[in-house]
Tab-separated table of all heavy atoms in Angstrom:
chain	number	residue	atom	x	y	z
A	1518	ASN	N	8.828	8.722	-35.761
A	1518	ASN	CA	9.342	10.009	-35.076
A	1518	ASN	C	10.228	9.730	-33.852
A	1518	ASN	O	10.066	10.390	-32.816
A	1518	ASN	CB	8.164	10.957	-34.765
A	1518	ASN	CG	7.248	10.278	-33.744
A	1518	ASN	OD1	7.122	9.072	-33.612
A	1518	ASN	ND2	6.447	11.101	-33.035
A	1519	HIS	N	11.084	8.732	-33.984
A	1519	HIS	CA	11.830	8.264	-32.784
A	1519	HIS	C	13.071	9.145	-32.472
A	1519	HIS	O	13.680	8.999	-31.382
A	1519	HIS	CB	12.306	6.853	-33.011
A	1519	HIS	CG	13.181	6.672	-34.169
A	1519	HIS	ND1	12.767	6.393	-35.432
A	1519	HIS	CD2	14.543	6.833	-34.315
A	1519	HIS	CE1	13.802	6.357	-36.299
A	1519	HIS	NE2	14.950	6.524	-35.543
A	1520	GLU	N	13.487	10.047	-33.405
A	1520	GLU	CA	14.664	10.845	-33.166
A	1520	GLU	C	14.494	11.748	-31.981
A	1520	GLU	O	13.473	12.481	-31.894
A	1520	GLU	CB	14.989	11.546	-34.430
A	1520	GLU	CG	16.417	12.294	-34.307
A	1520	GLU	CD	16.828	12.865	-35.651
A	1520	GLU	OE1	16.926	12.141	-36.610
A	1520	GLU	OE2	17.029	14.095	-35.676
A	1521	VAL	N	15.441	11.756	-31.059
A	1521	VAL	CA	15.391	12.654	-29.852
A	1521	VAL	C	16.030	13.950	-30.178
A	1521	VAL	O	16.890	14.079	-31.024
A	1521	VAL	CB	16.022	11.957	-28.668
A	1521	VAL	CG1	15.288	10.648	-28.314
A	1521	VAL	CG2	17.515	11.723	-28.871
A	1522	THR	N	15.663	15.038	-29.395
A	1522	THR	CA	16.185	16.347	-29.612
A	1522	THR	C	16.909	16.856	-28.411
A	1522	THR	O	17.421	18.008	-28.365
A	1522	THR	CB	15.058	17.318	-29.945
A	1522	THR	OG1	14.061	17.300	-28.924
A	1522	THR	CG2	14.410	16.904	-31.258
A	1523	GLU	N	17.025	16.038	-27.355
A	1523	GLU	CA	17.738	16.453	-26.142
A	1523	GLU	C	18.366	15.241	-25.523
A	1523	GLU	O	17.939	14.071	-25.729
A	1523	GLU	CB	16.850	17.212	-25.207
A	1523	GLU	CG	15.569	16.446	-24.761
A	1523	GLU	CD	14.697	17.271	-23.905
A	1523	GLU	OE1	14.763	18.441	-24.068
A	1523	GLU	OE2	13.882	16.598	-23.196
A	1524	LEU	N	19.285	15.403	-24.622
A	1524	LEU	CA	19.943	14.285	-23.852
A	1524	LEU	C	18.903	13.708	-22.850
A	1524	LEU	O	18.084	14.453	-22.382
A	1524	LEU	CB	21.117	14.855	-23.085
A	1524	LEU	CG	22.366	15.394	-23.869
A	1524	LEU	CD1	23.381	15.868	-22.917
A	1524	LEU	CD2	22.929	14.188	-24.709
A	1525	PRO	N	19.013	12.422	-22.724
A	1525	PRO	CA	18.038	11.759	-21.815
A	1525	PRO	C	18.263	12.181	-20.363
A	1525	PRO	O	19.379	12.479	-19.888
A	1525	PRO	CB	18.387	10.266	-21.990
A	1525	PRO	CG	19.780	10.237	-22.483
A	1525	PRO	CD	19.964	11.423	-23.345
A	1526	THR	N	17.142	12.284	-19.694
A	1526	THR	CA	17.160	12.616	-18.276
A	1526	THR	C	16.906	11.467	-17.402
A	1526	THR	O	17.059	11.427	-16.106
A	1526	THR	CB	16.090	13.722	-17.882
A	1526	THR	OG1	14.815	13.224	-18.293
A	1526	THR	CG2	16.425	15.011	-18.646
A	1527	ASN	N	16.440	10.278	-17.986
A	1527	ASN	CA	16.179	9.093	-17.282
A	1527	ASN	C	17.220	8.032	-17.699
A	1527	ASN	O	17.224	7.636	-18.819
A	1527	ASN	CB	14.733	8.620	-17.549
A	1527	ASN	CG	14.266	7.507	-16.636
A	1527	ASN	OD1	14.979	7.105	-15.783
A	1527	ASN	ND2	13.101	7.031	-16.920
A	1528	PHE	N	17.986	7.597	-16.731
A	1528	PHE	CA	19.085	6.630	-17.074
A	1528	PHE	C	19.543	5.905	-15.829
A	1528	PHE	O	19.146	6.295	-14.679
A	1528	PHE	CB	20.290	7.446	-17.712
A	1528	PHE	CG	20.966	8.398	-16.730
A	1528	PHE	CD1	22.071	7.985	-16.024
A	1528	PHE	CD2	20.468	9.630	-16.559
A	1528	PHE	CE1	22.692	8.880	-15.100
A	1528	PHE	CE2	21.032	10.508	-15.670
A	1528	PHE	CZ	22.214	10.179	-15.003
A	1529	TYR	N	20.319	4.908	-16.004
A	1529	TYR	CA	20.933	4.223	-14.894
A	1529	TYR	C	22.399	3.819	-15.341
A	1529	TYR	O	22.716	3.772	-16.508
A	1529	TYR	CB	20.160	3.003	-14.438
A	1529	TYR	CG	20.036	1.840	-15.361
A	1529	TYR	CD1	21.016	0.808	-15.398
A	1529	TYR	CD2	19.075	1.687	-16.374
A	1529	TYR	CE1	20.932	-0.270	-16.223
A	1529	TYR	CE2	19.008	0.682	-17.283
A	1529	TYR	CZ	19.906	-0.348	-17.183
A	1529	TYR	OH	19.818	-1.326	-18.050
A	1530	VAL	N	23.216	3.439	-14.349
A	1530	VAL	CA	24.524	2.968	-14.540
A	1530	VAL	C	24.582	1.465	-14.108
A	1530	VAL	O	24.280	1.126	-12.943
A	1530	VAL	CB	25.550	3.786	-13.693
A	1530	VAL	CG1	26.981	3.312	-14.072
A	1530	VAL	CG2	25.500	5.281	-13.982
A	1531	GLY	N	24.875	0.649	-15.056
A	1531	GLY	CA	24.906	-0.825	-14.744
A	1531	GLY	C	26.142	-1.257	-14.004
A	1531	GLY	O	27.136	-0.537	-13.872
A	1532	LYS	N	26.039	-2.428	-13.506
A	1532	LYS	CA	27.280	-3.024	-12.791
A	1532	LYS	C	28.385	-3.268	-13.790
A	1532	LYS	O	29.543	-3.288	-13.350
A	1532	LYS	CB	26.809	-4.342	-12.192
A	1532	LYS	CG	25.903	-4.144	-10.985
A	1532	LYS	CD	25.676	-5.461	-10.249
A	1532	LYS	CE	24.799	-5.260	-9.030
A	1532	LYS	NZ	25.399	-4.375	-8.024
A	1533	ASN	N	28.152	-3.207	-15.023
A	1533	ASN	CA	29.141	-3.259	-16.113
A	1533	ASN	C	29.752	-1.965	-16.359
A	1533	ASN	O	30.501	-1.797	-17.358
A	1533	ASN	CB	28.614	-3.907	-17.323
A	1533	ASN	CG	27.356	-3.317	-17.873
A	1533	ASN	OD1	26.928	-2.246	-17.272
A	1533	ASN	ND2	26.747	-3.850	-18.898
A	1534	ARG	N	29.316	-0.891	-15.644
A	1534	ARG	CA	29.785	0.495	-15.739
A	1534	ARG	C	29.287	1.162	-16.993
A	1534	ARG	O	29.801	2.180	-17.381
A	1534	ARG	CB	31.301	0.515	-15.621
A	1534	ARG	CG	31.897	-0.214	-14.444
A	1534	ARG	CD	33.398	-0.341	-14.470
A	1534	ARG	NE	34.002	0.957	-14.174
A	1534	ARG	CZ	34.121	1.517	-12.992
A	1534	ARG	NH1	33.731	0.855	-11.920
A	1534	ARG	NH2	34.727	2.716	-12.830
A	1535	VAL	N	28.381	0.528	-17.690
A	1535	VAL	CA	27.738	1.150	-18.837
A	1535	VAL	C	26.551	2.011	-18.438
A	1535	VAL	O	25.808	1.610	-17.544
A	1535	VAL	CB	27.257	0.112	-19.834
A	1535	VAL	CG1	26.492	0.744	-21.037
A	1535	VAL	CG2	28.491	-0.708	-20.430
A	1536	VAL	N	26.398	3.180	-18.988
A	1536	VAL	CA	25.276	4.022	-18.794
A	1536	VAL	C	24.152	3.762	-19.812
A	1536	VAL	O	24.440	3.751	-20.998
A	1536	VAL	CB	25.660	5.583	-18.902
A	1536	VAL	CG1	24.457	6.482	-18.597
A	1536	VAL	CG2	26.809	5.826	-17.930
A	1537	TYR	N	22.945	3.500	-19.330
A	1537	TYR	CA	21.810	3.156	-20.192
A	1537	TYR	C	20.729	4.233	-20.041
A	1537	TYR	O	20.315	4.576	-18.933
A	1537	TYR	CB	21.205	1.837	-19.796
A	1537	TYR	CG	22.158	0.677	-19.936
A	1537	TYR	CD1	22.992	0.254	-18.919
A	1537	TYR	CD2	22.146	-0.087	-21.111
A	1537	TYR	CE1	23.905	-0.788	-19.009
A	1537	TYR	CE2	22.976	-1.189	-21.290
A	1537	TYR	CZ	23.893	-1.509	-20.265
A	1537	TYR	OH	24.745	-2.597	-20.412
A	1538	ALA	N	20.285	4.755	-21.155
A	1538	ALA	CA	19.126	5.673	-21.187
A	1538	ALA	C	17.895	4.765	-21.148
A	1538	ALA	O	17.802	3.718	-21.767
A	1538	ALA	CB	19.101	6.538	-22.455
A	1539	LEU	N	16.845	5.274	-20.469
A	1539	LEU	CA	15.546	4.516	-20.346
A	1539	LEU	C	14.508	5.328	-21.059
A	1539	LEU	O	14.242	6.507	-20.782
A	1539	LEU	CB	15.189	4.394	-18.913
A	1539	LEU	CG	15.943	3.355	-18.040
A	1539	LEU	CD1	15.576	3.435	-16.565
A	1539	LEU	CD2	15.655	1.948	-18.579
A	1540	TYR	N	13.794	4.656	-22.027
A	1540	TYR	CA	12.672	5.314	-22.721
A	1540	TYR	C	11.444	4.425	-22.439
A	1540	TYR	O	11.517	3.167	-22.642
A	1540	TYR	CB	13.055	5.395	-24.183
A	1540	TYR	CG	14.159	6.345	-24.496
A	1540	TYR	CD1	15.438	5.918	-24.765
A	1540	TYR	CD2	13.855	7.760	-24.476
A	1540	TYR	CE1	16.443	6.804	-24.972
A	1540	TYR	CE2	14.925	8.625	-24.758
A	1540	TYR	CZ	16.220	8.146	-25.024
A	1540	TYR	OH	17.237	9.057	-25.230
A	1541	GLN	N	10.368	5.063	-22.121
A	1541	GLN	CA	9.125	4.353	-21.779
A	1541	GLN	C	8.395	3.859	-22.984
A	1541	GLN	O	8.715	4.101	-24.116
A	1541	GLN	CB	8.221	5.356	-20.994
A	1541	GLN	CG	8.869	6.083	-19.827
A	1541	GLN	CD	9.577	5.221	-18.839
A	1541	GLN	OE1	9.155	4.031	-18.574
A	1541	GLN	NE2	10.686	5.638	-18.296
A	1542	GLN	N	7.358	3.044	-22.727
A	1542	GLN	CA	6.476	2.577	-23.796
A	1542	GLN	C	5.879	3.731	-24.622
A	1542	GLN	O	5.458	4.775	-24.049
A	1542	GLN	CB	5.360	1.815	-23.119
A	1542	GLN	CG	5.767	0.512	-22.433
A	1542	GLN	CD	4.674	-0.129	-21.626
A	1542	GLN	OE1	4.159	0.505	-20.729
A	1542	GLN	NE2	4.273	-1.379	-21.950
A	1543	ASP	N	5.981	3.646	-25.903
A	1543	ASP	CA	5.457	4.648	-26.817
A	1543	ASP	C	6.337	5.859	-26.939
A	1543	ASP	O	6.015	6.774	-27.725
A	1543	ASP	CB	4.052	5.080	-26.482
A	1543	ASP	CG	2.970	4.056	-26.902
A	1543	ASP	OD1	3.221	3.348	-27.850
A	1543	ASP	OD2	1.894	4.038	-26.274
A	1544	ASP	N	7.516	5.905	-26.279
A	1544	ASP	CA	8.381	7.034	-26.413
A	1544	ASP	C	9.092	7.003	-27.831
A	1544	ASP	O	8.916	7.874	-28.609
A	1544	ASP	CB	9.472	7.012	-25.269
A	1544	ASP	CG	8.998	7.717	-24.060
A	1544	ASP	OD1	7.816	8.186	-23.980
A	1544	ASP	OD2	9.827	7.689	-23.048
A	1545	LEU	N	9.837	5.884	-28.009
A	1545	LEU	CA	10.568	5.725	-29.270
A	1545	LEU	C	10.094	4.464	-30.007
A	1545	LEU	O	10.392	4.335	-31.187
A	1545	LEU	CB	12.051	5.589	-28.959
A	1545	LEU	CG	12.678	6.735	-28.164
A	1545	LEU	CD1	14.172	6.484	-28.021
A	1545	LEU	CD2	12.462	8.101	-28.818
Side-chain angles (χ1 to χ4, degrees):
N1518 58 341
H1519 63 269
E1520 188 170 303
V1521 301
T1522 58
E1523 57 186 23
L1524 293 175
T1526 57
N1527 191 1
F1528 65 97
Y1529 68 91
V1530 184
K1532 290 188 178 298
N1533 53 5
R1534 308 173 71 82
V1535 174
V1536 180
Y1537 297 88
L1539 286 169
Y1540 294 100
Q1541 311 304 328
Q1542 293 169 302
D1543 281 335
D1544 277 356
L1545 307 181

